[in-house]
Amino acid sequence: MAAFVLVLGRARGQDTPAPPQVTAQQDHQRMMDLLHITSLRPGADGNHPQAPNAANYDEAKANPYPKLPDPLVLKNGKKVKSAKVWWSKRRPEIVEDFDREVYGRVPNVTPKVVWEVTGTTQEKNGDVPVVTKKIVGHVDNSAYPAITVNIELTLTTPANASGPVPVIMEFGFGNRPAGPGRPMPPQPAASGPTWQQQVLAKGWGYAILIPTSVQADNGAGLTQGIIGLVNKGQPRQPDDWGALRAWAWGASRALDYFETDKAVDAKQVGIEGLSRYGKAAIVAMAYDQRFAIGFIGSSGEGGVKLHRRNYGEIVENVAGSAEYHWMAGNFIKYAGPLNWNDLPVDSHELVALCAPRPVFISAGAFKGDAWVDAKGMFLAAVGAGPVYKLLGKKDLGTTEMPPIETALIDGDVAFRQHSGGHTTGPNWPTFLEFAGRYLKAPAIIPTQ
Ligand code: GCU
C-alpha cells in the first residue's frame, strides 16, 4: 500500500504549510484506501484489439444494463407529473446523486474572484473588426496563500456591434499531450472559416477559458488549484469536487465577469468544449442555469455517454489513476466492488439537468471517434427527452440512432454525428444553425 506522503514545508515565505506533493498514483491509492477498495477492474484497452480487456465495439454486446433510472420517478417511487415537482423535488434528488457519487460537490463557499482586464487589442479576424480582451481572474487566496489561482480568459467581440452580443465560450486546450488510453486521431486539415469566424459571422462574440489555469488536469494537482486552495492544500474527501466541476466553476466565474462587461449579453452565453472539455461543458451547462446553450463535443464516458453502455471507453477507464481526478473520489467505487448498474443516476439525467435550455450533443464518426460511443450519447439525449417535454419543450423527435451526418435539430435537445474524427469542427455550422433559433445578435453598425 502506497503511503501518503505529507510534506510539510513552508510555502514561498508564507506562514502556511505548503500543499503535500503526491503523485496521481499515490492520491488514487489513498482514495481507494479511504473507500476500503482493494482492487479495481481494468479499463477498456483502446489500443490492442487482441487484449483480454480490449474495448468493445460490437453493438450486440453494448447494452448489458438496458434499464436506465427514470428521471421522472422520485426516490419514493412516485411519478413526476408537473414541472413544479421536477424543480422542487426530482431535480434536486438527481443533483444530489451526481454531486455525491459522480462529479463531487462544489464547496458551499468558494473564494471571490476579482477580474482584471490586462490587455485590449483592436484587430481583425478575417474581415471582421473585433476587440479582444485578455482577462485574468485573481482568486482570493487569503485563506491559504500557499496556492495561487489566476484564471485565464480571452474575450473577442465584434467592434461594430450596436449593443451587447451573445458569446460562445470554449474550454480551450492550449497545448496538451494526447490523452491516455488511445492515440489521438489525426485532426482533419482546417479549411474554410474557423469556428470563431463562423461565430462572428452571426454577429456574436467568442471567449476562450483555459481550464488548467483553474485546476490541473491530473491527480497530482488535486491538492493545488482551486480544489487544493479551498481544501487548504489537503487531499480530497470522497465527495469533494473533481476537475470537471472545478473547470465548470471557472466557466461560471467567467460568466460572472461577462455580467459586468457591457460588450456581452450575459443572458446569451453558450458553453462549448471537446472531449474532456466536452465533459466539462455538459457539467457547466447542467449545473449553472445561466448558460443559455451548450455545444457538447465528443464528451464520451464521464460526459454524455451512458455509464451503463459497454462501448469504447468505460467507467473503469475514468476511475483509473489517469482520469479519476475529473470525478468525485466516490465514482471509483463503480469500477469495483460496485458496477455501472449501481450508479443511482446515468448521463441522460445529466442532459435532463440542462432542460429546458437547448443543448447540442456532438460526436465524430465511428472511424476515428468510436471511443466516445456516439450511440451511447445519442441514447442519453433520447433519455432526457421526457424531462424536456414535461417542461414544455421538444425532445429529439426519434429514438432510432440516425445515419451519420443527420442533423436532429428540430427539438431543444439536438444531436449530430459528423463524419470527421475526434473534433467538433464539422459540426459548427449545424450547431450555429440550431443556436440561431435561440441567440439573437444586435445590429451591426455599418462602417463607412
Ligand atoms: C482520453 C480519455 C477521454 C477524453 C480524451 C480527451 O481519450 O479516455 O475520456 O475525453 O482523452 O480529452 O482527449
Side-chain angles (χ1 to χ4, degrees):
M1 194 195 303
F4 182 66
V5 193
L6 187 71
V7 182
L8 282 177
R10 293 285 143 191
R12 282 180 242 121
Q14 307 281 358
D15 199 22
T16 46
Q21 304 286 315
V22 291
T23 65
Q25 284 78 6
Q26 286 168 333
D27 182 66
H28 185 256
Q29 182 63 51
R30 183 196 61 84
M31 186 56 75
M32 284 175 63
D33 295 344
L34 213 55
L35 296 168
H36 309 293
I37 296 174
T38 49
S39 72
L40 295 175
R41 297 182 298 274
D45 184 336
N47 294 324
H48 304 97
Q50 305 309 327
N53 60 329
N56 176 55
Y57 292 113
D58 177 357
E59 189 54 42
K61 296 186 189 142
N63 281 310
Y65 307 113
K67 199 170 159 2
L68 299 178
D70 190 331
L72 292 181
V73 173
L74 287 158
K75 297 241 179 225
N76 67 12
K78 289 213 175 104
K79 220 155 151 62
V80 178
K81 293 198 187 115
S82 68
K84 188 165 168 255
V85 174
W86 165 257
W87 289 111
S88 65
K89 297 212 165 72
R90 183 57 181 145
R91 193 178 188 280
E93 285 182 353
I94 294 173
V95 167
E96 166 59 23
D97 284 342
F98 275 113
D99 276 0
R100 197 186 58 252
E101 302 297 312
V102 183
Y103 297 113
R105 301 179 196 282
V106 172
N108 288 336
V109 180
T110 53
K112 293 240 163 342
V113 180
V114 175
W115 288 97
E116 181 194 3
V117 178
T118 58
T120 304
T121 49
Q122 314 268 346
E123 52 189 3
K124 275 193 165 185
N125 188 340
D127 50 14
V128 181
V130 294
V131 178
T132 295
K133 292 176 188 149
K134 269 183 166 285
I135 312 159
V136 177
H138 304 284
V139 182
D140 178 6
N141 68 346
S142 51
Y144 189 69
I147 294 174
T148 303
V149 180
N150 286 314
I151 309 175
E152 294 166 34
L153 177 70
T154 55
L155 167 67
T156 300
T157 49
N160 298 329
S162 60
V165 294
V167 165
I168 303 295
M169 175 159 57
E170 175 171 88
F171 284 113
F173 270 100
N175 296 322
R176 70 166 190 95
R182 61 162 189 162
M184 290 293 275
Q187 301 302 300
S191 64
T194 63
W195 72 266
Q196 291 94 331
Q197 290 165 348
Q198 294 176 58
V199 167
L200 289 173
K202 296 197 80 86
W204 307 349
Y206 56 86
I208 298 180
L209 176 80
I210 303 298
T212 49
S213 66
V214 180
Q215 185 61 43
D217 188 10
N218 54 61
L222 287 169
T223 50
Q224 312 200 18
I226 185 62
I227 297 175
L229 175 56
V230 174
N231 283 344
K232 299 198 166 62
Q234 291 310 300
R236 294 190 301 168
Q237 292 302 308
D239 64 347
D240 275 358
W241 48 342
L244 295 177
R245 289 215 68 190
W247 295 335
W249 175 87
S252 292
R253 301 294 70 79
L255 191 46
D256 297 344
Y257 166 77
F258 295 147
E259 287 173 348
T260 68
D261 188 321
K262 290 193 173 57
V264 179
D265 180 348
K267 295 225 162 3
Q268 300 198 76
V269 173
I271 183 82
E272 179 262 347
L274 171 73
S275 206
R276 66 200 59 195
Y277 297 149
K279 307 182 211 296
I282 187 74
V283 169
M285 181 71 187
Y287 276 97
D288 189 337
Q289 296 181 49
R290 295 175 301 163
F291 284 110
I293 192 165
F295 179 8
I296 316 301
S298 295
S299 59
E301 173 53 37
V304 173
K305 184 211 155 190
L306 293 173
H307 297 291
R308 282 166 174 74
R309 290 257 306 172
N310 181 21
Y311 194 101
E313 187 167 29
I314 55 175
V315 166
E316 285 77 352
N317 295 83
V318 174
S321 63
E323 299 182 356
Y324 78 106
H325 62 278
W326 294 337
M327 316 298 277
N330 271 332
F331 185 74
I332 298 174
K333 296 184 302 197
Y334 299 93
L338 300 178
N339 217 314
W340 316 338
N341 204 31
D342 297 311
L343 275 160
V345 280
D346 212 323
S347 305
H348 60 307
E349 292 167 301
L350 184 65
V351 179
L353 294 183
C354 303
R357 292 162 298 138
V359 64
F360 182 97
I361 313 294
S362 169
F366 298 111
K367 194 171 180 334
D369 207 21
W371 186 240
V372 306
D373 185 13
K375 182 160 183 193
M377 299 197 289
F378 167 79
L379 291 172
V382 169
V387 177
Y388 275 82
K389 284 172 85 173
L390 180 76
L391 300 182
K393 299 289 173 178
K394 279 175 81 178
D395 64 8
L396 264 184
T398 179
T399 57
E400 290 296 312
M401 177 74 174
I404 195 159
E405 292 194 337
T406 309
L408 300 176
I409 54 172
D410 293 341
D412 299 285
V413 197
F415 176 85
R416 184 172 184 268
Q417 183 183 22
H418 63 68
S419 55
H422 192 56
T423 168
T424 45
N427 266 349
W428 271 100
T430 315
F431 166 70
L432 290 174
E433 186 189 337
F434 173 67
R437 292 211 325 258
Y438 304 93
L439 308 185
K440 303 291 172 199
I444 295 282
I445 301 166
T447 40
Q448 305 307 315

